[in-house]
Amino acid sequence: MDADAERGAGSGRRRELDVLRALVVLGLVLFHSALVFSPDDDFYVKNATTTGAVTVLAGFGVVWAMPMLFLVAGLGARYSIRRRGPARFVRERLLRLGVPLVFGTVVLCPLPQWLRLRAADPGHDESYVRFWVRFLTVGPDPADFPFVLRGDHFETGHLWFVVLLLTFCLLLAPLAAPLTRGADRAADAVRRRPALLLLPALPLAAIDALLGMEEDYAGWNRWAYLLFFAYGFALADDERVRAPTRRAAVRVGVLGVVLFAGTAPGFVAGDDPFTAWTPSALVTRALFGAAGWCWVLAILGLLDRPARGPRPARRGPASGVLPYLAVAALPLYVLHQPVVVAFAYGVVGWSAPAELKYAVIVAASSATIVVLYEYGVRRWTVTRWLFGMRPAPDAARARPEPGPPPAPAR
């Protein structure tokens, strides 16, 4: 065992975070279905009646869910680089993220945009094929990096997470060695002074406050996610950091709740909290960024339970619902939003209570994406490749490997 491993660089994949990742992916169906009934979000299809309660409930998710997915992705990147080296890591991420990104953008993302036009104007009769050609009519837009293409109707939609994750992986690869060395010194500092765990809250607050929050990226500024990703890569699996995180989890969680409560006046009654430069908006964004860090840190500590005794050797692929969902996370994510929008388009016109419509959208969408995954993706070599999955393993000698997290909300 090398020195880094002995000093606490991490002994194995944190399976509790894989479970959390799977649950967040399931939550995306609930989240995007709820946006159909939100008065604030510019979702593709809207119910005639909306409620502000959806906005409040959504806030409790966006403050931590997407940051956590980027952190777990950074942790997975550390395992992958350690096993493959930077060059092979880049090739692997280009295949496992780049291929589903291109496929999903070209094949799946046009549908929600087409349904948006039809929902806004019942007389809109443009065929899907003609709209698809217009959707793919794009030009360069380097100023919006890493979203470098723009068109009248083009968007990466819910795949923004994959765009950012692939970008972060490519930025990380040449910096992996110096980042790992710096992380070793940082971990020693945290072990001596656990209060340093709160330090990342400051740059996160500054990024959101000064660069603005972006509604299209789940309320966070896109570059704030890079800090969560880097923390996951550098420190999330270091026992010198994990031990004080476990001890501080409850206190940090309480602090996160207090900070998040402090954003309420700015979000409810203040100026535009996402982009305005008034003192109220700046403070609101800063509190949101700091609260997000506290929530993520608390969840990490609360879920982390050190292993007691040696773990039994794995003799085959893991079985059960959560391992199944963990492997399926990226394909389910790529599939879910077009399915939700399609069912919402058909349901919002019903003469029925909003609660019933929501339940139907959630149930039908959940069942459909699982069926599409099981019978249209998982069982075929070509579709596994298109959706970022490895070839089907030999059950007799399969060993689970970490993969890139999906993610999530518009």
Side-chain angles (χ1 to χ4, degrees), residues 86-116:
R88 289 182 60 204
F89 169 77
V90 167
R91 290 195 297 271
E92 189 260 358
R93 285 314 192 246
L94 284 172
L95 283 174
R96 296 202 61 210
L97 293 174
V99 170
L101 173 60
V102 173
F103 174 79
T105 301
V106 172
V107 175
L108 301 176
C109 287
L111 178 62
Q113 284 286 64
W114 182 63
L115 293 176
R116 182 202 295 273

Side-chain angles (χ1 to χ4, degrees), residues 276-299:
W277 281 88
T278 62
S280 172
L282 289 170
V283 170
T284 298
R285 294 198 294 270
L287 289 175
F288 182 87
W293 174 250
C294 291
W295 282 51
V296 167
L297 195 65
I299 292 170

